mmCIF file of all heavy atoms in Angstrom:
data_model
loop_
_atom_site.group_PDB
_atom_site.id
_atom_site.type_symbol
_atom_site.label_atom_id
_atom_site.label_comp_id
_atom_site.label_asym_id
_atom_site.label_seq_id
_atom_site.Cartn_x
_atom_site.Cartn_y
_atom_site.Cartn_z
ATOM 1 N N ALA A 407 42.342 36.215 64.425
ATOM 2 C CA ALA A 407 41.920 36.716 65.705
ATOM 3 C C ALA A 407 41.977 38.199 65.728
ATOM 4 O O ALA A 407 42.990 38.829 65.304
ATOM 5 C CB ALA A 407 42.863 36.135 66.778
ATOM 6 N N LEU A 408 40.909 38.824 66.144
ATOM 7 C CA LEU A 408 40.835 40.293 66.167
ATOM 8 C C LEU A 408 40.419 40.781 67.540
ATOM 9 O O LEU A 408 39.761 40.043 68.332
ATOM 10 C CB LEU A 408 39.803 40.781 65.157
ATOM 11 C CG LEU A 408 40.107 40.462 63.690
ATOM 12 C CD1 LEU A 408 38.887 40.808 62.786
ATOM 13 C CD2 LEU A 408 41.316 41.274 63.236
ATOM 14 N N PRO A 409 40.762 41.993 67.885
ATOM 15 C CA PRO A 409 40.289 42.562 69.206
ATOM 16 C C PRO A 409 38.759 42.549 69.258
ATOM 17 O O PRO A 409 38.074 42.687 68.255
ATOM 18 C CB PRO A 409 40.849 44.001 69.187
ATOM 19 C CG PRO A 409 41.904 44.010 68.138
ATOM 20 C CD PRO A 409 41.546 42.971 67.160
ATOM 21 N N ARG A 410 38.247 42.438 70.444
ATOM 22 C CA ARG A 410 36.813 42.478 70.689
ATOM 23 C C ARG A 410 36.268 43.881 70.403
ATOM 24 O O ARG A 410 36.931 44.878 70.719
ATOM 25 C CB ARG A 410 36.472 42.055 72.101
ATOM 26 C CG ARG A 410 36.785 40.612 72.404
ATOM 27 C CD ARG A 410 36.475 40.280 73.815
ATOM 28 N NE ARG A 410 35.038 40.493 73.991
ATOM 29 C CZ ARG A 410 34.295 39.722 74.779
ATOM 30 N NH1 ARG A 410 34.815 38.763 75.469
ATOM 31 N NH2 ARG A 410 33.017 39.996 74.898
ATOM 32 N N LEU A 411 35.092 43.915 69.871
ATOM 33 C CA LEU A 411 34.448 45.218 69.624
ATOM 34 C C LEU A 411 33.917 45.784 70.890
ATOM 35 O O LEU A 411 33.427 45.053 71.767
ATOM 36 C CB LEU A 411 33.300 45.059 68.612
ATOM 37 C CG LEU A 411 33.664 44.557 67.196
ATOM 38 C CD1 LEU A 411 32.409 44.295 66.403
ATOM 39 C CD2 LEU A 411 34.532 45.612 66.541
ATOM 40 N N VAL A 412 34.048 47.110 71.055
ATOM 41 C CA VAL A 412 33.405 47.793 72.165
ATOM 42 C C VAL A 412 32.181 48.543 71.625
ATOM 43 O O VAL A 412 32.354 49.473 70.876
ATOM 44 C CB VAL A 412 34.414 48.796 72.771
ATOM 45 C CG1 VAL A 412 33.772 49.574 73.881
ATOM 46 C CG2 VAL A 412 35.696 48.101 73.256
ATOM 47 N N PRO A 413 30.997 47.969 71.919
ATOM 48 C CA PRO A 413 29.780 48.482 71.274
ATOM 49 C C PRO A 413 29.601 50.001 71.287
ATOM 50 O O PRO A 413 29.218 50.628 70.334
ATOM 51 C CB PRO A 413 28.620 47.786 71.960
ATOM 52 C CG PRO A 413 29.290 46.488 72.476
ATOM 53 C CD PRO A 413 30.684 46.886 72.805
ATOM 54 N N ASP A 414 29.885 50.632 72.441
ATOM 55 C CA ASP A 414 29.728 52.079 72.612
ATOM 56 C C ASP A 414 30.648 52.833 71.638
ATOM 57 O O ASP A 414 30.252 53.840 71.052
ATOM 58 C CB ASP A 414 29.947 52.540 74.019
ATOM 59 C CG ASP A 414 28.838 52.086 74.936
ATOM 60 O OD1 ASP A 414 27.744 51.726 74.452
ATOM 61 O OD2 ASP A 414 29.049 52.127 76.165
ATOM 62 N N GLU A 415 31.870 52.341 71.505
ATOM 63 C CA GLU A 415 32.839 53.015 70.606
ATOM 64 C C GLU A 415 32.438 52.827 69.133
ATOM 65 O O GLU A 415 32.604 53.742 68.323
ATOM 66 C CB GLU A 415 34.253 52.494 70.861
ATOM 67 C CG GLU A 415 34.810 52.990 72.202
ATOM 68 C CD GLU A 415 36.280 52.551 72.393
ATOM 69 O OE1 GLU A 415 36.997 52.444 71.411
ATOM 70 O OE2 GLU A 415 36.652 52.322 73.530
ATOM 71 N N VAL A 416 31.957 51.632 68.793
ATOM 72 C CA VAL A 416 31.511 51.361 67.444
ATOM 73 C C VAL A 416 30.331 52.260 67.128
ATOM 74 O O VAL A 416 30.273 52.864 66.045
ATOM 75 C CB VAL A 416 31.164 49.877 67.252
ATOM 76 C CG1 VAL A 416 30.543 49.625 65.887
ATOM 77 C CG2 VAL A 416 32.403 49.038 67.423
ATOM 78 N N GLU A 417 29.373 52.392 68.065
ATOM 79 C CA GLU A 417 28.213 53.221 67.792
ATOM 80 C C GLU A 417 28.626 54.714 67.655
ATOM 81 O O GLU A 417 28.026 55.424 66.852
ATOM 82 C CB GLU A 417 27.185 53.096 68.944
ATOM 83 C CG GLU A 417 26.409 51.790 68.849
ATOM 84 C CD GLU A 417 25.601 51.648 67.558
ATOM 85 O OE1 GLU A 417 24.948 52.601 67.112
ATOM 86 O OE2 GLU A 417 25.703 50.562 66.919
#
Side-chain angles (χ1 to χ4, degrees):
L408 296 171
R410 293 179 61 143
L411 296 174
V412 178
D414 289 343
E415 289 185 32
V416 172
E417 285 301 314

